[in-house]
Amino acid sequence: MASHAIDVHDAQENYLEVKGRWSGIFAWIFSTDHKRIGILYLVSIAAFFITAATIGIFMRLEQLTMGPTLMSPDTYNRLFTLHGVIMIFLFIIPGIPAILGNFLLPIQIGAKDVAFPRLNLLSWWLFMIGAILALLTLFLPGGLPDTGWTFYAPYSVRTGSEVSLAVFAAFVLGFSSILTGLNFITTVHRMRAPGMSWFRLPLFVWALYATAWVQILATPMVGITLLLIIFERIFNIGIFNPAQGGDPILYQHLFWIYSHPAVYIMILPGFGVISEIIPTFSRRTIFGYKLIAFSSLSIAIFGSLVWAHHMFVSGQSDLANIIFSFLTFFVAIPTAIKVFNWVATLYKGSIRFEPPLLFVLSSIFLFSIGGFTGLMQATLPINVHIHDTYFVVGHFHYTMFGGTIWALIAGILYWFPKITGKMYNKKWIYWAWALMFIGFNTLYGAMMYMGWKGMPRRYYDHLPEFHTDHVIATVGSWFLYTGILILVGTLLYALYRGAKAEANPWGGTTLEWKTSSPPPLENFEKEPVVEHEPYYHEEAIR
Amino acid sequence: MSHHSHEEVHGVGYGILVLIWLGLVVLTGITVVVSGVHIPAIAVLVALLIAATKSTLVVNYFMHLKYESRIFKIILIMGIVTIAIFIGLTFFDVLFR
Amino acid sequence: MKNIREIALEEHHDFVGAKMGMWLFLLTELILFTGMFLLYSMYRIRYAVDFHNAAMELDVVIGTINTLVLLTSSLTVALGIEALKRRNRKLAKWMVMLTVLFALTFLVNKYFEWSAKIHHGIFPGADELLSRSQGEIIYFNLYYAMTGLHGLHVLIGMGILLWVYFLIARKPSEKVVVASPNVAVLQGAKLVATKGEQEAWVFEEIGDDVSEVEVIVKKDPQKAGIDLPNIIKLENAGLYWHLVDIIWIFLFPLFYLIT
């Protein structure tokens, strides 16, 4: 005999105040409310980020002197592996979709929640289980994996470190990502409010939609790859083992078929955040809405055609090298289209300079540096020289960190008042930004430079000719880390002592700004009816 | 886009389903018999074509795709195109080493 | 405007959305196997002769039987869904159970096949296997990996079908809904009953003196278990099962018929 109470909430209550079946921590970890799930991700992902960033600090400390500084070479290998695994699988890939996407997607399309709320909670649980499994390797005899986050065969099959468990953890995390993508696609197709046609969707939703497709289509490829590593380690099914007729280059194909599109899973949502913030702080509609929407889809498609540009020196055929190099140049085009449209939006706009805009502009700048160096690496002759050097490390930090993460920060700063109902101290954010910007460019600029000169990556030690560069980079890392801590501290302070925020502090025009800060449990008092395009500013300057 | 909780649940019909099954059995027989005939050059192609035909029957009738709205067909096509790209582009390496 | 039952039971079913979610999931399963089909393709090119020779060691008869078993199981689950949609609970139950039994048959056949091979020393890491040529070793590595992962999916599919079977077979229960409503929601609502297609008797108009409403939902034993949510679940279970069938439709010729 089931008993259901009709529980109609008080109209004034927001989602943080609502009392449901559970209380305390359980009200969070058993909640199927997409907003709470977004915050669960925010807290866990922030913790993982700080952990991995701290590991980065220690890696840089090791490079402060030539020869041993703090640790053995073996420990260094395990640290850079863990740094990569956490940053990629536990931070950047889930990052924007899991935190901002979960919180905002339903609200931006006028829905009450996602299509499958319980599946959404399962996604977070799988995420946490994957994280725990990965960290468990620390406590087992083999210890943390020492293969690099790329787990290349044959070393990953032969090494005594706990690769099977680490790789299984990544498998579980992939599953979490897939379920989120599945949820988002169904939500966008099925749950848009009346009047919300496809071309009235906010561009953040377009970005999340394109990303979700990549999550669905690419992630299973790394799933099977990781399973095969486990099969090889445990059952001796030597599919990549030359002694059994196997080909390690095929491992690389399978691995990068996912891992390259993965970087588009990372950046596309970031571009979506930028596309939201720019019209708001230009007080005018976005320039080239359809172009930007379609460019998200194009990036998703083109990005799936270029994976073997990670393999130019692996031993694959010359024809493959030429074809993948050629295809890689194309990927730049849709991204350039976005940048031009953003700039065109700012032009003749009525600019309000606020922290979210500052981080957006920085993100575009930093990503562009990363993007240009990407084009350089797509060029075969250059690639031969800089493959596996710090040039690559600089490149991907400029794109993934400078591009995606600075956009994530911009998004958090933009939607912080909506999510929490509080406002932060803007001056402290500007100080954090300054430290971060100087530190970032010092650290990764130095890396690009020494990589160009030939400093190999994943090396525990370095030659005297690179020593100065390493010291500069390490000092840069201190500035960057300090800036990040100030940023996080400012936001934490605002959570508890911040001023109350209004419903629409920035003058945004998308649906989330038409409901209270924080929103009610079902997002809107009344289901919204959409009547015009998303960035319609009434006092628009044309 | 609003939707109703009581939608028409369209069935296919017992007879058609059994008919499709018969077709699948016949195709299975064909593929087994044909594999005994040694034309190595196109053997794989023929086997794959028959398998694709069988799959098409399963997808369209057993899985109801023929009667579903367009988005479902698009979803499947996205998958097939993706698979073709992954395997196809890898051939440029392995075939030309 | 929702009726009391919908509010009370918080029922909201998006049939199309649920199906869309399942199709997307099936796509991911397809791509999971694609990785191994990719490896098969590449190694087949390199070791064409070895693959041909190794394939001769597989039993085409068992392979064909298994193919027919899975194809028939696809038929039975499709018939079961059809039956459920036509409110034929008995037939639906039979068909689903048959499907489960076919799945079991497949797994038993697989067990015998694998046992025979293992008995002859053809299994991953075995000395006998490793003494063969490179292409043959790869062939059997792929064989175990691919049919193994497929078999695991057969097992999972079986489990899902069994679960749905029990949902359909479940005895009807009386549901008592006790509502302590916010009066603003129910105010002005009417409790309505119909007889056949015809008139509606209005039982009670709910005024602001009402503090609680109790609704008893009794299910017709003949029809219980075959409501829309169960149809959705069986249809999605069927979709999963058909995918398992399709993967085998490709595995069969690629491993057994390349002789």
PDB file of all heavy atoms in Angstrom, chain A residues 2 4 8 116 186 190 217 220 224 235 238-239 243-247, chain C residues 8 14 17 28 31-32 39 43 46-47 124 134 138 141 176 178 185:
ATOM      1  N   ALA A   2       0.797   1.956  -1.048  1.00  0.00           N
ATOM      2  CA  ALA A   2       1.664   3.129  -1.159  1.00  0.00           C
ATOM      3  C   ALA A   2       0.904   4.364  -0.738  1.00  0.00           C
ATOM      4  O   ALA A   2      -0.305   4.480  -0.941  1.00  0.00           O
ATOM      5  CB  ALA A   2       2.138   3.285  -2.588  1.00  0.00           C
ATOM      6  N   HIS A   4       1.039   8.454  -1.054  1.00  0.00           N
ATOM      7  CA  HIS A   4       1.718   9.636  -1.601  1.00  0.00           C
ATOM      8  C   HIS A   4       1.055  10.885  -1.061  1.00  0.00           C
ATOM      9  O   HIS A   4      -0.157  11.028  -1.130  1.00  0.00           O
ATOM     10  CB  HIS A   4       1.575   9.674  -3.124  1.00  0.00           C
ATOM     11  CG  HIS A   4       2.169   8.483  -3.793  1.00  0.00           C
ATOM     12  ND1 HIS A   4       3.409   8.514  -4.355  1.00  0.00           N
ATOM     13  CD2 HIS A   4       1.699   7.240  -3.961  1.00  0.00           C
ATOM     14  CE1 HIS A   4       3.673   7.331  -4.870  1.00  0.00           C
ATOM     15  NE2 HIS A   4       2.660   6.534  -4.645  1.00  0.00           N
ATOM     16  N   VAL A   8       2.748  20.227  -2.387  1.00  0.00           N
ATOM     17  CA  VAL A   8       2.868  21.430  -3.206  1.00  0.00           C
ATOM     18  C   VAL A   8       3.624  22.469  -2.408  1.00  0.00           C
ATOM     19  O   VAL A   8       3.236  22.832  -1.321  1.00  0.00           O
ATOM     20  CB  VAL A   8       1.478  21.977  -3.576  1.00  0.00           C
ATOM     21  CG1 VAL A   8       1.639  23.242  -4.394  1.00  0.00           C
ATOM     22  CG2 VAL A   8       0.708  20.942  -4.363  1.00  0.00           C
ATOM     23  N   PHE A 116      15.714  12.537 -17.612  1.00  0.00           N
ATOM     24  CA  PHE A 116      15.852  11.372 -16.730  1.00  0.00           C
ATOM     25  C   PHE A 116      16.558  11.786 -15.444  1.00  0.00           C
ATOM     26  O   PHE A 116      17.762  11.563 -15.291  1.00  0.00           O
ATOM     27  CB  PHE A 116      16.652  10.252 -17.429  1.00  0.00           C
ATOM     28  CG  PHE A 116      16.121   9.888 -18.790  1.00  0.00           C
ATOM     29  CD1 PHE A 116      16.883  10.122 -19.929  1.00  0.00           C
ATOM     30  CD2 PHE A 116      14.871   9.303 -18.948  1.00  0.00           C
ATOM     31  CE1 PHE A 116      16.414   9.795 -21.196  1.00  0.00           C
ATOM     32  CE2 PHE A 116      14.394   8.973 -20.209  1.00  0.00           C
ATOM     33  CZ  PHE A 116      15.167   9.221 -21.341  1.00  0.00           C
ATOM     34  N   THR A 186      18.185  13.942 -24.964  1.00  0.00           N
ATOM     35  CA  THR A 186      16.748  13.686 -24.823  1.00  0.00           C
ATOM     36  C   THR A 186      16.042  14.903 -24.255  1.00  0.00           C
ATOM     37  O   THR A 186      14.940  15.261 -24.690  1.00  0.00           O
ATOM     38  CB  THR A 186      16.507  12.461 -23.924  1.00  0.00           C
ATOM     39  OG1 THR A 186      17.360  11.400 -24.329  1.00  0.00           O
ATOM     40  CG2 THR A 186      15.066  12.006 -24.014  1.00  0.00           C
ATOM     41  N   ARG A 190      12.973  16.789 -26.094  1.00  0.00           N
ATOM     42  CA  ARG A 190      11.635  16.511 -25.590  1.00  0.00           C
ATOM     43  C   ARG A 190      11.062  17.538 -24.633  1.00  0.00           C
ATOM     44  O   ARG A 190       9.866  17.522 -24.371  1.00  0.00           O
ATOM     45  CB  ARG A 190      11.633  15.140 -24.878  1.00  0.00           C
ATOM     46  CG  ARG A 190      12.005  13.965 -25.746  1.00  0.00           C
ATOM     47  CD  ARG A 190      11.013  13.699 -26.828  1.00  0.00           C
ATOM     48  NE  ARG A 190       9.683  13.411 -26.292  1.00  0.00           N
ATOM     49  CZ  ARG A 190       8.582  13.413 -27.027  1.00  0.00           C
ATOM     50  NH1 ARG A 190       8.634  13.717 -28.289  1.00  0.00           N
ATOM     51  NH2 ARG A 190       7.418  13.108 -26.474  1.00  0.00           N
ATOM     52  N   LEU A 217      28.979   9.366 -28.956  1.00  0.00           N
ATOM     53  CA  LEU A 217      29.572   8.637 -30.078  1.00  0.00           C
ATOM     54  C   LEU A 217      31.036   8.283 -29.861  1.00  0.00           C
ATOM     55  O   LEU A 217      31.527   7.325 -30.422  1.00  0.00           O
ATOM     56  CB  LEU A 217      29.413   9.447 -31.366  1.00  0.00           C
ATOM     57  CG  LEU A 217      27.968   9.595 -31.846  1.00  0.00           C
ATOM     58  CD1 LEU A 217      27.887  10.563 -33.019  1.00  0.00           C
ATOM     59  CD2 LEU A 217      27.403   8.236 -32.264  1.00  0.00           C
ATOM     60  N   PRO A 220      32.397   5.549 -25.968  1.00  0.00           N
ATOM     61  CA  PRO A 220      32.478   4.082 -25.942  1.00  0.00           C
ATOM     62  C   PRO A 220      33.767   3.540 -26.554  1.00  0.00           C
ATOM     63  O   PRO A 220      34.205   2.441 -26.199  1.00  0.00           O
ATOM     64  CB  PRO A 220      31.261   3.639 -26.768  1.00  0.00           C
ATOM     65  CG  PRO A 220      30.317   4.781 -26.719  1.00  0.00           C
ATOM     66  CD  PRO A 220      31.152   5.999 -26.651  1.00  0.00           C
ATOM     67  N   ILE A 224      35.994   0.584 -24.777  1.00  0.00           N
ATOM     68  CA  ILE A 224      36.463  -0.724 -25.233  1.00  0.00           C
ATOM     69  C   ILE A 224      37.986  -0.803 -25.172  1.00  0.00           C
ATOM     70  O   ILE A 224      38.558  -1.833 -24.827  1.00  0.00           O
ATOM     71  CB  ILE A 224      35.926  -1.055 -26.650  1.00  0.00           C
ATOM     72  CG1 ILE A 224      36.256  -2.508 -27.003  1.00  0.00           C
ATOM     73  CG2 ILE A 224      36.489  -0.153 -27.714  1.00  0.00           C
ATOM     74  CD1 ILE A 224      35.578  -3.513 -26.101  1.00  0.00           C
ATOM     75  N   PHE A 235      43.883 -11.549 -18.657  1.00  0.00           N
ATOM     76  CA  PHE A 235      43.648 -12.815 -19.350  1.00  0.00           C
ATOM     77  C   PHE A 235      44.696 -13.124 -20.413  1.00  0.00           C
ATOM     78  O   PHE A 235      44.573 -14.114 -21.114  1.00  0.00           O
ATOM     79  CB  PHE A 235      42.261 -12.801 -20.004  1.00  0.00           C
ATOM     80  CG  PHE A 235      41.134 -12.588 -19.042  1.00  0.00           C
ATOM     81  CD1 PHE A 235      40.341 -11.447 -19.135  1.00  0.00           C
ATOM     82  CD2 PHE A 235      40.879 -13.499 -18.031  1.00  0.00           C
ATOM     83  CE1 PHE A 235      39.310 -11.238 -18.250  1.00  0.00           C
ATOM     84  CE2 PHE A 235      39.846 -13.290 -17.135  1.00  0.00           C
ATOM     85  CZ  PHE A 235      39.061 -12.155 -17.242  1.00  0.00           C
ATOM     86  N   GLY A 238      46.440 -10.990 -25.836  1.00  0.00           N
ATOM     87  CA  GLY A 238      47.456 -10.035 -26.284  1.00  0.00           C
ATOM     88  C   GLY A 238      47.147  -9.324 -27.581  1.00  0.00           C
ATOM     89  O   GLY A 238      47.886  -9.428 -28.557  1.00  0.00           O
ATOM     90  N   ILE A 239      46.083  -8.546 -27.617  1.00  0.00           N
ATOM     91  CA  ILE A 239      45.668  -7.921 -28.865  1.00  0.00           C
ATOM     92  C   ILE A 239      46.622  -6.832 -29.311  1.00  0.00           C
ATOM     93  O   ILE A 239      46.719  -6.520 -30.497  1.00  0.00           O
ATOM     94  CB  ILE A 239      44.234  -7.393 -28.723  1.00  0.00           C
ATOM     95  CG1 ILE A 239      43.289  -8.588 -28.651  1.00  0.00           C
ATOM     96  CG2 ILE A 239      43.847  -6.486 -29.872  1.00  0.00           C
ATOM     97  CD1 ILE A 239      41.861  -8.270 -28.859  1.00  0.00           C
ATOM     98  N   ALA A 243      54.328  -9.915 -29.637  1.00  0.00           N
ATOM     99  CA  ALA A 243      54.690 -11.332 -29.518  1.00  0.00           C
ATOM    100  C   ALA A 243      53.530 -12.235 -29.909  1.00  0.00           C
ATOM    101  O   ALA A 243      53.731 -13.373 -30.315  1.00  0.00           O
ATOM    102  CB  ALA A 243      55.129 -11.644 -28.088  1.00  0.00           C
ATOM    103  N   GLN A 244      52.300 -11.710 -29.774  1.00  0.00           N
ATOM    104  CA  GLN A 244      51.134 -12.508 -30.153  1.00  0.00           C
ATOM    105  C   GLN A 244      50.546 -12.015 -31.470  1.00  0.00           C
ATOM    106  O   GLN A 244      49.393 -12.297 -31.788  1.00  0.00           O
ATOM    107  CB  GLN A 244      50.063 -12.439 -29.056  1.00  0.00           C
ATOM    108  CG  GLN A 244      50.499 -13.100 -27.756  1.00  0.00           C
ATOM    109  CD  GLN A 244      49.359 -13.196 -26.755  1.00  0.00           C
ATOM    110  OE1 GLN A 244      48.199 -13.279 -27.125  1.00  0.00           O
ATOM    111  NE2 GLN A 244      49.705 -13.178 -25.472  1.00  0.00           N
ATOM    112  N   GLY A 245      51.340 -11.254 -32.210  1.00  0.00           N
ATOM    113  CA  GLY A 245      50.844 -10.777 -33.494  1.00  0.00           C
ATOM    114  C   GLY A 245      50.140  -9.439 -33.412  1.00  0.00           C
ATOM    115  O   GLY A 245      49.584  -8.959 -34.397  1.00  0.00           O
ATOM    116  N   GLY A 246      50.156  -8.834 -32.232  1.00  0.00           N
ATOM    117  CA  GLY A 246      49.420  -7.596 -32.046  1.00  0.00           C
ATOM    118  C   GLY A 246      50.181  -6.363 -32.503  1.00  0.00           C
ATOM    119  O   GLY A 246      51.387  -6.424 -32.768  1.00  0.00           O
ATOM    120  N   ASP A 247      49.484  -5.232 -32.587  1.00  0.00           N
ATOM    121  CA  ASP A 247      50.071  -3.988 -33.090  1.00  0.00           C
ATOM    122  C   ASP A 247      49.783  -2.853 -32.110  1.00  0.00           C
ATOM    123  O   ASP A 247      48.637  -2.422 -31.990  1.00  0.00           O
ATOM    124  CB  ASP A 247      49.463  -3.676 -34.455  1.00  0.00           C
ATOM    125  CG  ASP A 247      50.057  -2.432 -35.081  1.00  0.00           C
ATOM    126  OD1 ASP A 247      50.910  -1.773 -34.436  1.00  0.00           O
ATOM    127  OD2 ASP A 247      49.667  -2.098 -36.211  1.00  0.00           O
TER     128      ASP A 247
ATOM    129  N   ALA C   8      -1.866  12.836  -7.713  1.00  0.00           N
ATOM    130  CA  ALA C   8      -1.599  11.988  -6.561  1.00  0.00           C
ATOM    131  C   ALA C   8      -0.465  11.016  -6.845  1.00  0.00           C
ATOM    132  O   ALA C   8       0.415  10.821  -6.025  1.00  0.00           O
ATOM    133  CB  ALA C   8      -2.865  11.232  -6.179  1.00  0.00           C
ATOM    134  N   ASP C  14       6.662   9.933 -20.657  1.00  0.00           N
ATOM    135  CA  ASP C  14       7.022  10.355 -21.996  1.00  0.00           C
ATOM    136  C   ASP C  14       7.551   9.120 -22.717  1.00  0.00           C
ATOM    137  O   ASP C  14       8.733   8.782 -22.616  1.00  0.00           O
ATOM    138  CB  ASP C  14       8.076  11.458 -21.912  1.00  0.00           C
ATOM    139  CG  ASP C  14       8.488  11.962 -23.290  1.00  0.00           C
ATOM    140  OD1 ASP C  14       7.875  11.534 -24.296  1.00  0.00           O
ATOM    141  OD2 ASP C  14       9.425  12.765 -23.358  1.00  0.00           O
ATOM    142  N   GLY C  17      10.247   9.931 -25.254  1.00  0.00           N
ATOM    143  CA  GLY C  17      11.504  10.305 -24.595  1.00  0.00           C
ATOM    144  C   GLY C  17      12.243   9.091 -24.058  1.00  0.00           C
ATOM    145  O   GLY C  17      13.460   8.970 -24.204  1.00  0.00           O
ATOM    146  N   THR C  28      25.598   3.735 -28.074  1.00  0.00           N
ATOM    147  CA  THR C  28      26.878   3.613 -27.369  1.00  0.00           C
ATOM    148  C   THR C  28      27.339   2.162 -27.329  1.00  0.00           C
ATOM    149  O   THR C  28      28.533   1.881 -27.440  1.00  0.00           O
ATOM    150  CB  THR C  28      26.807   4.164 -25.938  1.00  0.00           C
ATOM    151  OG1 THR C  28      25.989   3.335 -25.128  1.00  0.00           O
ATOM    152  CG2 THR C  28      26.300   5.580 -25.918  1.00  0.00           C
ATOM    153  N   ILE C  31      28.909   1.336 -30.637  1.00  0.00           N
ATOM    154  CA  ILE C  31      30.251   1.890 -30.798  1.00  0.00           C
ATOM    155  C   ILE C  31      31.253   1.143 -29.930  1.00  0.00           C
ATOM    156  O   ILE C  31      32.418   0.998 -30.297  1.00  0.00           O
ATOM    157  CB  ILE C  31      30.241   3.386 -30.479  1.00  0.00           C
ATOM    158  CG1 ILE C  31      29.190   4.080 -31.316  1.00  0.00           C
ATOM    159  CG2 ILE C  31      31.603   4.004 -30.664  1.00  0.00           C
ATOM    160  CD1 ILE C  31      29.614   5.181 -32.167  1.00  0.00           C
ATOM    161  N   LEU C  32      30.792   0.660 -28.782  1.00  0.00           N
ATOM    162  CA  LEU C  32      31.680  -0.153 -27.946  1.00  0.00           C
ATOM    163  C   LEU C  32      32.199  -1.347 -28.740  1.00  0.00           C
ATOM    164  O   LEU C  32      33.388  -1.646 -28.756  1.00  0.00           O
ATOM    165  CB  LEU C  32      30.918  -0.629 -26.706  1.00  0.00           C
ATOM    166  CG  LEU C  32      31.754  -1.328 -25.635  1.00  0.00           C
ATOM    167  CD1 LEU C  32      32.523  -0.301 -24.815  1.00  0.00           C
ATOM    168  CD2 LEU C  32      30.885  -2.164 -24.720  1.00  0.00           C
ATOM    169  N   LEU C  39      39.426  -3.534 -34.864  1.00  0.00           N
ATOM    170  CA  LEU C  39      40.621  -4.360 -34.708  1.00  0.00           C
ATOM    171  C   LEU C  39      40.526  -5.590 -35.600  1.00  0.00           C
ATOM    172  O   LEU C  39      41.490  -5.969 -36.269  1.00  0.00           O
ATOM    173  CB  LEU C  39      40.785  -4.787 -33.255  1.00  0.00           C
ATOM    174  CG  LEU C  39      41.196  -3.685 -32.280  1.00  0.00           C
ATOM    175  CD1 LEU C  39      41.202  -4.218 -30.854  1.00  0.00           C
ATOM    176  CD2 LEU C  39      42.574  -3.144 -32.632  1.00  0.00           C
ATOM    177  N   TYR C  43      43.322  -6.460 -38.450  1.00  0.00           N
ATOM    178  CA  TYR C  43      44.106  -7.696 -38.359  1.00  0.00           C
ATOM    179  C   TYR C  43      43.748  -8.672 -39.464  1.00  0.00           C
ATOM    180  O   TYR C  43      44.588  -9.450 -39.923  1.00  0.00           O
ATOM    181  CB  TYR C  43      43.921  -8.339 -36.987  1.00  0.00           C
ATOM    182  CG  TYR C  43      44.674  -7.641 -35.885  1.00  0.00           C
ATOM    183  CD1 TYR C  43      44.048  -7.273 -34.701  1.00  0.00           C
ATOM    184  CD2 TYR C  43      46.034  -7.357 -36.016  1.00  0.00           C
ATOM    185  CE1 TYR C  43      44.744  -6.636 -33.685  1.00  0.00           C
ATOM    186  CE2 TYR C  43      46.730  -6.719 -35.009  1.00  0.00           C
ATOM    187  CZ  TYR C  43      46.080  -6.357 -33.845  1.00  0.00           C
ATOM    188  OH  TYR C  43      46.775  -5.724 -32.841  1.00  0.00           O
ATOM    189  N   ARG C  46      45.795  -7.943 -42.423  1.00  0.00           N
ATOM    190  CA  ARG C  46      47.198  -8.340 -42.267  1.00  0.00           C
ATOM    191  C   ARG C  46      47.377  -9.847 -42.274  1.00  0.00           C
ATOM    192  O   ARG C  46      48.358 -10.376 -42.768  1.00  0.00           O
ATOM    193  CB  ARG C  46      47.714  -7.756 -40.956  1.00  0.00           C
ATOM    194  CG  ARG C  46      49.206  -7.916 -40.765  1.00  0.00           C
ATOM    195  CD  ARG C  46      49.651  -7.237 -39.507  1.00  0.00           C
ATOM    196  NE  ARG C  46      49.480  -5.799 -39.583  1.00  0.00           N
ATOM    197  CZ  ARG C  46      49.766  -4.958 -38.586  1.00  0.00           C
ATOM    198  NH1 ARG C  46      50.214  -5.428 -37.452  1.00  0.00           N
ATOM    199  NH2 ARG C  46      49.586  -3.680 -38.731  1.00  0.00           N
ATOM    200  N   TYR C  47      46.403 -10.564 -41.681  1.00  0.00           N
ATOM    201  CA  TYR C  47      46.579 -12.011 -41.488  1.00  0.00           C
ATOM    202  C   TYR C  47      45.498 -12.812 -42.195  1.00  0.00           C
ATOM    203  O   TYR C  47      44.954 -13.759 -41.622  1.00  0.00           O
ATOM    204  CB  TYR C  47      46.532 -12.337 -39.994  1.00  0.00           C
ATOM    205  CG  TYR C  47      47.600 -11.698 -39.155  1.00  0.00           C
ATOM    206  CD1 TYR C  47      47.263 -10.854 -38.098  1.00  0.00           C
ATOM    207  CD2 TYR C  47      48.949 -11.958 -39.375  1.00  0.00           C
ATOM    208  CE1 TYR C  47      48.239 -10.290 -37.299  1.00  0.00           C
ATOM    209  CE2 TYR C  47      49.936 -11.386 -38.579  1.00  0.00           C
ATOM    210  CZ  TYR C  47      49.569 -10.547 -37.538  1.00  0.00           C
ATOM    211  OH  TYR C  47      50.525  -9.989 -36.741  1.00  0.00           O
ATOM    212  N   PRO C 124      43.293 -17.898 -24.391  1.00  0.00           N
ATOM    213  CA  PRO C 124      44.286 -16.825 -24.286  1.00  0.00           C
ATOM    214  C   PRO C 124      45.411 -17.163 -23.321  1.00  0.00           C
ATOM    215  O   PRO C 124      45.160 -17.547 -22.183  1.00  0.00           O
ATOM    216  CB  PRO C 124      43.478 -15.621 -23.782  1.00  0.00           C
ATOM    217  CG  PRO C 124      42.094 -15.884 -24.199  1.00  0.00           C
ATOM    218  CD  PRO C 124      41.922 -17.375 -24.159  1.00  0.00           C
ATOM    219  N   GLN C 134      51.161 -16.106 -35.751  1.00  0.00           N
ATOM    220  CA  GLN C 134      50.699 -14.846 -35.144  1.00  0.00           C
ATOM    221  C   GLN C 134      49.236 -14.557 -35.482  1.00  0.00           C
ATOM    222  O   GLN C 134      48.449 -14.184 -34.607  1.00  0.00           O
ATOM    223  CB  GLN C 134      51.568 -13.694 -35.664  1.00  0.00           C
ATOM    224  CG  GLN C 134      53.050 -13.927 -35.453  1.00  0.00           C
ATOM    225  CD  GLN C 134      53.653 -12.864 -34.566  1.00  0.00           C
ATOM    226  OE1 GLN C 134      53.868 -11.744 -34.998  1.00  0.00           O
ATOM    227  NE2 GLN C 134      53.919 -13.217 -33.322  1.00  0.00           N
ATOM    228  N   ILE C 138      46.050 -14.048 -32.868  1.00  0.00           N
ATOM    229  CA  ILE C 138      45.206 -12.852 -32.849  1.00  0.00           C
ATOM    230  C   ILE C 138      43.744 -13.209 -33.099  1.00  0.00           C
ATOM    231  O   ILE C 138      42.834 -12.698 -32.447  1.00  0.00           O
ATOM    232  CB  ILE C 138      45.692 -11.828 -33.895  1.00  0.00           C
ATOM    233  CG1 ILE C 138      46.976 -11.155 -33.422  1.00  0.00           C
ATOM    234  CG2 ILE C 138      44.642 -10.781 -34.176  1.00  0.00           C
ATOM    235  CD1 ILE C 138      46.781 -10.149 -32.306  1.00  0.00           C
ATOM    236  N   ASN C 141      42.373 -14.611 -29.961  1.00  0.00           N
ATOM    237  CA  ASN C 141      42.257 -13.546 -28.966  1.00  0.00           C
ATOM    238  C   ASN C 141      41.004 -12.724 -29.229  1.00  0.00           C
ATOM    239  O   ASN C 141      40.216 -12.434 -28.331  1.00  0.00           O
ATOM    240  CB  ASN C 141      43.488 -12.630 -29.001  1.00  0.00           C
ATOM    241  CG  ASN C 141      44.643 -13.211 -28.209  1.00  0.00           C
ATOM    242  OD1 ASN C 141      44.439 -13.999 -27.292  1.00  0.00           O
ATOM    243  ND2 ASN C 141      45.858 -12.817 -28.542  1.00  0.00           N
ATOM    244  N   VAL C 176      -3.712   2.884  -2.113  1.00  0.00           N
ATOM    245  CA  VAL C 176      -4.460   3.892  -1.390  1.00  0.00           C
ATOM    246  C   VAL C 176      -3.653   5.169  -1.367  1.00  0.00           C
ATOM    247  O   VAL C 176      -2.509   5.195  -0.937  1.00  0.00           O
ATOM    248  CB  VAL C 176      -4.744   3.437   0.048  1.00  0.00           C
ATOM    249  CG1 VAL C 176      -5.397   4.551   0.826  1.00  0.00           C
ATOM    250  CG2 VAL C 176      -5.628   2.213   0.024  1.00  0.00           C
ATOM    251  N   VAL C 178      -3.359   8.775   0.079  1.00  0.00           N
ATOM    252  CA  VAL C 178      -3.869   9.723   1.052  1.00  0.00           C
ATOM    253  C   VAL C 178      -3.227  11.057   0.777  1.00  0.00           C
ATOM    254  O   VAL C 178      -2.013  11.197   0.830  1.00  0.00           O
ATOM    255  CB  VAL C 178      -3.536   9.261   2.482  1.00  0.00           C
ATOM    256  CG1 VAL C 178      -4.005  10.294   3.479  1.00  0.00           C
ATOM    257  CG2 VAL C 178      -4.199   7.924   2.740  1.00  0.00           C
ATOM    258  N   VAL C 185      -4.490  23.880  -4.423  1.00  0.00           N
ATOM    259  CA  VAL C 185      -4.362  23.027  -5.612  1.00  0.00           C
ATOM    260  C   VAL C 185      -5.678  22.352  -5.946  1.00  0.00           C
ATOM    261  O   VAL C 185      -6.088  22.279  -7.094  1.00  0.00           O
ATOM    262  CB  VAL C 185      -3.287  21.955  -5.383  1.00  0.00           C
ATOM    263  CG1 VAL C 185      -3.352  20.899  -6.452  1.00  0.00           C
ATOM    264  CG2 VAL C 185      -1.932  22.599  -5.358  1.00  0.00           C
TER     265      VAL C 185
END
